[in-house]
Amino acid sequence: MFFSLFYIALSLSQVIAGPFSDRKGRKPAMVFGMIVASIAVATFFLFAQPWLNGMLTIAGLGLGIFCVPSLAFLNERVPDSLKGAVS
């Protein structure tokens, strides 16, 4: 169940994170994603089931929010000859 929820959250967050990072910038989106993931991972042990899975799902959401702008950020920083290698 955890892995299903994790990947569902990861997929949904990537749909949300793309437009968010285009509007607000790459760095704020990356920071927001890492804050969400770190809070969820740092506190998940305080919860019992099913809330434990919920907190780890929120961590997956944060990691997904971080993933999209971080790849775009990296892709914007490399020369055109390396864009394929980075992707």
Side-chain angles (χ1 to χ4, degrees):
M1 182 165 177
F2 162 69
F3 287 110
S4 297
L5 291 172
F6 178 80
Y7 286 109
I8 289 169
L10 197 65
S11 299
L12 290 175
S13 65
Q14 290 178 354
V15 172
I16 296 166
F20 178 75
S21 71
D22 289 340
R23 275 184 270 128
K24 302 293 182 184
R26 308 289 184 230
K27 288 183 182 179
M30 289 189 298
V31 169
F32 178 72
M34 277 290 104
I35 289 172
V36 170
S38 63
I39 290 171
V41 168
T43 61
F44 84 94
F45 68 90
L46 299 172
F47 297 90
Q49 288 288 3
W51 302 108
L52 176 106
N53 280 340
M55 289 305 290
L56 292 175
T57 302
I58 292 170
L61 184 71
L63 291 173
I65 292 171
F66 173 78
C67 179
V68 172
S70 67
L71 290 174
F73 180 80
L74 181 61
N75 202 22
E76 291 169 351
R77 298 295 183 268
V78 298
D80 288 338
S81 62
L82 295 176
K83 288 197 187 285
V86 168
S87 295

